[in-house]
Amino acid sequence: MSTQPLIKKASAYVTNQDELMVFTHTDFPEAGVQVPAGTVEENEEPSEAVLREIYEEFGVKGVSIIELLGISQYNMTPYRDEIQERYVYHLELTQSTPSTWRHWEIHPSTSKNPIAFDFYWVKLDSSNLGIAGGQGYFLSKLVHKIKNSHDSAIT
């Protein structure tokens, strides 16, 4: 049995038609391409946390939750001594955004200084799109759902 703490996280796959919103840390490009995610606070539901995280990291409130795609566990060793229990949501954008933009996280959980993120949209396909840290785990499920929804809209 692991002695590592289990930390609840909420992650967002935000889509705009067949594109996925991703970002890189402006000052830490080695962190890789990521999707918005963060810790579920005490007395907070994962669905509330994902909306809060999108606003804090992305600067946008114009999203709606489509569904919980799944829950997985990810061992953060050697970066952190924790197991993350990840609640991964599909959300759709309900307001327009630029194709690329920079946003500073106003209330970062790990630093008193704002953290800059560079956001952009990538075309969804069946790969994990090079998403870092296991965050692409449910992307194939999302791609399948979007493709099926698009196919049924055509027929």
Side-chain angles (χ1 to χ4, degrees):
M1 186 169 138
S2 175
T3 58
Q4 293 172 285
L6 185 67
I7 308 296
K8 282 187 180 181
K9 297 284 186 172
S11 299
Y13 292 166
V14 179
T15 60
N16 184 12
Q17 298 177 15
D18 65 345
E19 293 185 315
L20 177 72
M21 183 197 62
V22 296
F23 72 93
T24 56
H25 287 264
T26 308
D27 298 325
F28 304 99
E30 65 276 9
V33 177
Q34 299 181 39
V35 296
T39 303
V40 178
E41 296 176 356
E42 191 174 333
N43 299 319
E44 184 179 44
E45 291 298 318
S47 59
E48 297 168 328
V50 78
L51 293 172
R52 176 182 50 76
E53 287 295 336
I54 287 174
Y55 180 67
E56 287 177 5
E57 292 182 4
F58 178 29
V60 172
K61 289 187 177 183
V63 293
S64 63
I65 295 176
I66 303 303
E67 68 178 316
L68 173 66
L69 288 170
I71 302 168
S72 67
Q73 290 191 354
Y74 189 81
N75 188 334
M76 289 299 293
T77 305
Y79 307 105
R80 289 190 207 133
D81 185 30
E82 68 186 34
I83 303 290
Q84 292 183 352
E85 183 174 74
R86 295 176 173 178
Y87 294 74
V88 180
Y89 290 87
H90 173 209
L91 297 94
E92 283 185 339
L93 187 69
T94 61
Q95 71 180 71
S96 63
T97 66
S99 59
T100 63
W101 69 101
R102 179 169 290 172
H103 181 74
W104 287 263
E105 185 175 17
I106 301 166
H107 304 288
S109 59
T110 58
S111 173
K112 292 186 180 186
N113 296 322
I115 300 172
F117 299 122
D118 289 324
F119 285 90
Y120 56 99
W121 295 95
V122 294
K123 191 89 159 164
L124 273 170
D125 61 23
S126 59
S127 73
N128 72 5
L129 303 174
I131 306 296
Q135 289 186 327
Y137 186 78
F138 288 107
L139 276 179
S140 61
K141 183 176 183 178
L142 175 64
V143 168
H144 180 75
K145 287 181 172 287
I146 288 176
K147 182 182 180 326
N148 284 347
S149 133
H150 181 265
D151 290 348
S152 64
I154 293 173
T155 58

